[in-house]
Amino acid sequence: MGKRKMHGTWSSRWTFILAATGSAVGLGNIWKFPYIAGENGGGAFVLVYLLCIAIIGVPIMIAETMLGRRGRQSPINSMRDLTIEAGASRAWVAIGWMGVIAGLLILSFYSVIAGWSLKYISVLAQGTFVNATDDIVIASFETLQANKGEMIQWHSIFMLMTMAVVVGGVTKGLGNAVRVLMPILFLLLIALLAYGFSEGDFGQGFSFLFNFKFDQLTWNGVLVALGHAFFTLSLGMGAIMAYGAYMPGDAPIGKTVVLVAVLDTLVALVAGLAIFPIVFAHETLQPGAGPGLLFVSLPVAFGNMPGGVIFGTLFFVLISLAAWSSAISLIEPGVAWLVETRKFKRVGANLLLGGIAWTLGLGTVLSFNDWAGEEYQIFGLTFFEFVDALTANFMLPLGGMFIAIFVGWFMHKTHIRKEMSHETPKMFELWRVLLRYVSPFLVALIFAFLVWDMISS
Ligand code: PHE
């Protein structure tokens, strides 16, 4: 019977593409990528990030999708069955567990930032920033960060929106939503790019992103680039495994995954190319402004362009929708597992896991005000920065590395080949070599350099 029946399958390969793209494209592309690129000096960081996507991310993403489709359940139960099938140690199931935990940790801060974006829909719609100076826009963002009550309110609204879709079951709720959302999202981004091109300092924005200045890049920057490759592809925590579980059996995995990765990368680069020309055209805006970069640079632009109220409102709608379709995939692995094993209803599973993530999110809210001081820091980071670094820079790359090792070294080749029947023998072997020797080795190497760098300084 149907393991498949329990959660449903996507109506076609295209729905998987849209859903996986919906998961991948989110705050990571539009909010996080520009500000971490800004903090890490631009060009060289971007190059490392692109290499990590191509050499490490894509092979592991193919492996994770394949595991999901072969397991056909939540990541935890898929891994349990697949370890038995492979005759490997049950310890591999920890990949699923770590993923569920990472998903909730990420969702906790993701929801707070998405809440900012929801709030900015109404701020822009009211025309607050029409003809506003840079100082007014910056002050307005600082006011929001100081207002715990308001941040909690929007964080709660976003969390409820996420749970509402997941309760309906992702193959129904999400499958239909992404079909409409994704194309609109792409169109709006292109429009913003056109604005950056005509009104911003496009030349400087472009060279900031693509002029490789390696002296600006530290080993920590390399780790952030690696971590972001995982974060932006939704990789290493079971989201893609959970979505792969709903993929029709005859869909080609390799081609599909490459397409999703290309779309995701394009969105990040276009977002960067839209934002940095605006930043460089305004002296008070700094590329290294941190998590607020998006929320100060874009309102400045929208406030000073014709039609900015409509355009700006739409843009924050777009970011919120992109965040929404990603958040769904952060909670789905845990929900699917609770529904399968513990006889939970989807509603109960959502309330439980959403509640945990919501509570943890309060720590992120406080990181921008009451807990901003040094006495509350963990390893020199605020609570928000700590959770972000712990998940993106450590849990996701480690999860991905273990997935690569499991598929590359422990699963039977014949079982893998069965799922990957669309790939030519050459492509299949190339992928397997990357997965066995290259991807896990590079992740370990970056960790090793980081430790060495820490010890030597
Ligand atoms: N990929 C999403 C983004 O870029 C975030 C995410 C990470 C979603 C991990 C699911 C799993 O915003």
Side-chain angles (χ1 to χ4, degrees):
M1 178 315 300
K3 285 173 185 172
R4 253 200 265 183
K5 264 213 194 116
M6 187 167 230
H7 304 292
T9 45
W10 308 112
S11 47
S12 73
R13 164 173 175 246
W14 279 100
T15 323
F16 173 83
I17 292 177
L18 287 171
T21 310
S23 165
V25 174
L27 292 174
N29 308 59
I30 303 168
W31 160 75
K32 193 174 178 191
F33 171 70
Y35 93 75
I36 55 176
E39 282 177 343
N40 288 286
F45 173 88
V46 175
L47 180 66
V48 174
Y49 154 77
L50 292 175
L51 288 174
C52 287
I53 295 261
I55 306 174
I56 304 175
V58 169
I60 295 182
M61 197 168 178
I62 292 174
E64 198 178 320
T65 311
M66 189 276 293
L67 284 178
R69 194 170 72 184
R70 189 154 184 86
R72 284 272 183 233
Q73 298 158 83
S74 69
I76 294 176
N77 286 334
S78 285
M79 283 310 297
R80 195 201 50 212
D81 285 6
L82 294 173
T83 50
I84 295 171
E85 188 182 68
S89 154
R90 289 290 295 270
W92 290 102
V93 181
I95 293 175
W97 282 106
M98 195 167 75
V100 168
I101 296 169
L104 294 182
L105 285 170
I106 295 173
L107 182 60
S108 77
F109 70 80
Y110 208 84
S111 169
V112 175
I113 312 294
W116 296 353
S117 164
L118 285 178
K119 155 86 183 169
Y120 267 59
I121 297 175
S122 71
V123 174
L124 274 111
Q126 285 159 20
T128 317
F129 295 133
V130 174
N131 295 327
T133 60
D134 302 359
D135 296 336
I136 291 180
V137 175
I138 292 171
S140 159
F141 182 66
E142 284 170 355
T143 310
L144 172 64
Q145 288 199 314
N147 191 338
K148 284 171 288 188
E150 176 145 41
M151 276 202 275
I152 293 173
Q153 179 196 325
W154 291 107
H155 165 49
S156 313
I157 293 175
F158 184 80
M159 196 64 87
L160 285 172
M161 284 168 51
T162 303
M163 286 158 38
V165 176
V166 182
V167 165
V170 285
T171 45
K172 271 188 258 135
L174 184 62
N176 291 332
V178 284
R179 221 187 287 256
V180 189
L181 299 184
M182 282 299 123
I184 304 179
L185 193 148
F186 281 112
L187 283 181
L188 272 172
L189 259 183
I190 302 275
L192 193 73
L193 176 68
Y195 175 80
F197 190 76
S198 70
E199 302 294 319
D201 188 341
F202 195 79
Q204 213 184 332
F206 188 88
S207 83
F208 180 76
L209 281 174
F210 297 110
N211 218 341
F212 307 135
K213 289 173 258 128
F214 276 94
D215 51 322
Q216 306 258 343
L217 192 64
T218 59
W219 274 109
N220 188 58
V222 173
L223 180 70
V224 175
L226 171 78
H228 191 63
F230 282 90
F231 186 88
T232 193
L233 294 176
S234 304
L235 211 55
M237 51 73 62
I240 290 301
M241 209 189 293
Y243 279 13
Y246 314 144
M247 193 181 191
D250 53 356
I253 294 180
K255 249 200 282 177
T256 309
V257 163
V258 169
L259 181 62
V260 174
V262 167
L263 288 176
D264 182 74
T265 308
L266 276 180
V267 172
L269 293 180
V270 172
L273 278 176
I275 288 171
F276 282 111
I278 299 167
V279 171
F280 287 115
H282 292 259
E283 261 170 36
T284 36
L285 302 181
Q286 295 299 328
L293 182 67
L294 177 81
F295 295 90
V296 293
S297 59
L298 294 190
V300 164
F302 292 128
N304 293 287
M305 67 195 253
V309 171
I310 294 178
F311 206 41
T313 309
L314 259 179
F315 192 76
F316 279 96
V317 170
L318 154 119
I319 299 173
S320 305
L321 292 176
W324 195 19
S325 62
S326 299
I328 289 163
S329 67
L330 285 164
I331 197 172
E332 171 64 15
V335 168
W337 176 70
L338 283 180
V339 171
E340 282 165 10
T341 357
R342 294 292 159 99
K343 310 285 176 236
F344 266 77
K345 292 261 184 297
R346 287 193 78 93
V347 179
N350 268 284
L351 285 175
L352 177 66
L353 300 182
I356 294 174
W358 181 86
T359 310
L360 282 168
L362 299 179
T364 288
V365 169
L366 292 172
S367 299
F368 295 98
N369 37 70
D370 292 7
W371 289 1
E374 260 176 47
E375 65 276 27
Y376 292 102
Q377 288 183 350
I378 314 164
F379 299 119
L381 304 170
T382 63
F383 183 85
F384 154 66
E385 291 166 338
F386 176 74
V387 177
D388 175 29
L390 174 70
T391 49
N393 301 355
F394 293 97
M395 292 176 89
L396 301 186
L398 277 179
M401 187 173 90
F402 287 131
I403 287 172
I405 296 173
F406 179 74
V407 175
W409 295 92
F410 289 86
M411 261 181 100
H412 297 304
K413 199 174 167 185
T414 43
H415 293 159
I416 305 175
R417 196 62 179 125
K418 226 180 194 167
E419 294 297 325
M420 308 274 294
S421 57
H422 287 269
E423 277 63 32
T424 61
K426 251 204 196 127
M427 287 311 278
F428 181 74
E429 286 308 326
L430 172 69
W431 168 70
R432 245 180 126 239
V433 167
L434 285 173
L435 203 65
R436 281 162 76 93
Y437 303 102
V438 183
S439 315
F441 176 73
L442 285 179
V443 174
L445 194 70
I446 293 175
F447 280 130
F449 268 115
L450 188 80
V451 172
W452 177 69
D453 189 55
M454 262 162 28
I455 295 169
S456 63
S457 63

